[in-house]
Amino acid sequence: MTGLAEIPVAHTPPGGYGDTMPPPVLGASDEPLVDGAPDLRGTWKVVDASAPDGGALAADHPIWHHVERIEQAGNRLVVTGGGVVHDMVVDGVVEHGVNDVMAADFSTEIHVAATFEGGALVLRPEGLPGVTVRRWRDGPRLRWSYHVLFEAVLERIE
């Protein structure tokens, strides 16, 4: 068994990872999830998406093609999808959260605190008060709310 502290923090490669998702980051750890952590593990594909007000998203919106893999061990969580690898410790501390780049351009730095709240992973970008990104389980599905941009429903594909 490999301890989480022994697994280096992963980051998005320059320009994103392209069409092929990189190998899992936490695969060598079998540390149990911390108390209060929802089990979000798996590879997920968007099957439904809408604007937060319930309006339809355009058929060519990129979210319709989104696939992501979520890995978890202890209080560490890695979301790999859309060309980025966001590796974080979920403890509410920005320095331990996502310190990587945005999927929009693969170069704009982001610094994000991560917490588990009420059965959800909650991400709060530094310097953007009130902005949250949430992921939580809804039965066998994963729900993803991206502040005022969209809400998505994902199904496991692995």
Side-chain angles (χ1 to χ4, degrees):
M1 178 174 105
T2 302
L4 286 176
E6 299 170 40
I7 300 172
V9 174
H11 295 281
T12 301
Y17 61 71
D19 293 333
T20 304
M21 199 176 279
V25 175
L26 303 179
S29 177
D30 61 358
E31 189 170 323
L33 302 183
V34 295
D35 287 342
D39 188 348
L40 307 175
R41 293 174 289 192
T43 302
W44 305 89
K45 179 175 181 11
V46 170
V47 294
D48 193 20
S50 62
D53 66 2
L57 292 179
D60 63 349
H61 193 288
I63 197 64
W64 290 109
H65 303 288
H66 184 79
V67 173
E68 66 183 31
R69 179 182 63 225
I70 299 177
E71 304 170 65
Q72 287 177 267
N75 68 343
R76 191 152 159 202
L77 188 143
V78 182
V79 178
T80 302
V84 298
V85 180
H86 288 167
D87 188 346
M88 65 200 85
V89 172
V90 184
D91 65 0
V93 177
V94 171
E95 291 79 13
H96 302 159
V98 178
N99 290 287
D100 202 66
V101 295
M102 293 178 70
D105 62 9
F106 306 118
S107 62
T108 302
E109 288 187 17
I110 56 171
H111 304 282
V112 182
T115 56
F116 292 126
E117 300 174 27
L121 169 67
V122 180
L123 304 175
R124 291 184 173 88
E126 184 177 53
L128 297 172
V131 173
T132 60
V133 176
R134 297 176 183 270
R135 287 180 175 85
W136 68 96
R137 293 293 297 272
D138 184 8
R141 292 179 160 186
L142 179 73
R143 296 191 60 98
W144 179 20
S145 172
Y146 203 104
H147 193 57
V148 299
L149 297 179
F150 62 81
E151 293 184 10
V153 177
L154 297 86
E155 288 186 349
R156 189 184 304 270
I157 61 170
E158 59 182 23

